Amino acid sequence: MSDLHCPATLLVARHGDAEYGHPSVLCDEGGWLSARGRDQVTALTGTLRERRVARVYTSVLERAVESGRLAAGLLGVDSVAVDGLAEFSVGALAGRPHDDPELASVFKSWMHGDLGRFIPGGETGAHVVARYREALQAIADLHRGETVLVFSHGGVMSFVQPRVDGAVRQDLVERAFLPNCGVAEVEVDGDGFRVCSWPGSADRAVV
């Protein structure tokens, strides 16, 4: 089997529970892990000891970086922050309530396939999909035949991973809410991406 068709296994996890300087409004700040979040990362890492994780990757946002640093230390591997895996930016909507109807409308449009809509001062859905897919592909290309842990974010995971190869897996879209440290197992080879398991739930109470 060529390296191209030898799959890389990406364990893509939402970061641990986090705290923020402005918790009641939308923002793009990185936040930091709470005590609960550190416990969640530690518990997750304990379930992965038999997976022979080769490296940990994270988005550049601090809550993911801290999750990766803690997990990597427990697994005895390196942690590397990479561009492309961050949560989508709220742009000019920063400072508005979390249930802001304009943001909800854009995200709903993305989830229904209108990837040309954009968050004011932020990204289009098409750009989010492209930069996230590119980041996952670059990681996979470095780890054919290996397993890596990747810390990302709930919104971008829910939106992008069901459609990374252009086809929408409706069963994943319908389970959009992701718990902290929930893991989606993704295999990447020369034929593209395959989501093998998904931690999402239709119950918003999980987040």
Side-chain angles (χ1 to χ4, degrees):
M1 180 181 294
S2 70
D3 285 347
L4 186 63
H5 286 86
C6 188
T9 299
L10 312 183
L11 304 176
V12 187
R14 186 183 175 200
H15 58 82
D17 181 70
E19 298 177 350
Y20 304 89
H22 301 87
S24 62
V25 297
L26 294 171
C27 67
D28 288 328
E29 66 186 71
W32 60 91
L33 283 187
S34 65
R36 180 185 180 194
R38 290 191 291 273
D39 288 344
Q40 289 169 337
V41 173
T42 300
L44 168 61
T45 305
T47 71
L48 301 179
R49 294 193 181 279
E50 303 303 316
R51 299 300 300 266
R52 298 183 179 179
V53 172
R55 180 173 288 173
V56 178
Y57 289 90
T58 78
S59 91
V60 296
L61 296 178
E62 187 61 25
R63 58 192 182 274
V65 172
E66 285 189 27
S67 297
R69 188 182 301 126
L70 174 56
L74 293 170
L75 292 169
V77 298
D78 295 331
S79 180
V80 179
V82 298
D83 291 328
L85 297 173
E87 187 62 278
F88 57 83
S89 171
V90 299
L93 304 185
R96 294 190 186 183
H98 286 286
D99 60 354
D100 178 70
E102 186 171 5
L103 179 63
S105 175
V106 173
F107 191 69
K108 184 177 181 180
S109 294
W110 289 357
M111 294 292 276
H112 286 85
D114 183 3
L115 304 187
R117 285 199 65 183
F118 63 91
I119 297 170
E123 305 168 281
T124 65
H127 179 260
V128 175
V129 171
R131 53 97 163 162
Y132 196 88
R133 186 191 187 286
E134 182 179 343
L136 292 182
Q137 185 68 64
I139 292 169
D141 288 344
L142 293 173
H143 293 281
R144 298 295 184 185
E146 296 182 316
T147 297
V148 295
L149 175 60
V150 181
F151 280 104
S152 187
H153 305 269
V156 71
M157 286 175 65
S158 298
F159 167 52
V160 176
Q161 286 182 208
R163 48 180 55 79
V164 284
D165 271 346
V168 178
R169 279 192 55 182
Q170 197 63 34
D171 60 320
L172 303 188
V173 171
E174 291 169 353
R175 290 182 282 157
F177 302 110
L178 297 175
N180 291 108
C181 287
V183 177
E185 184 163 339
V186 182
E187 288 188 352
V188 188
D189 61 17
D191 295 323
F193 290 72
R194 180 169 65 258
V195 180
C196 304
S197 68
W198 184 251
S201 171
D203 182 4
R204 191 182 183 91
V206 303
V207 298

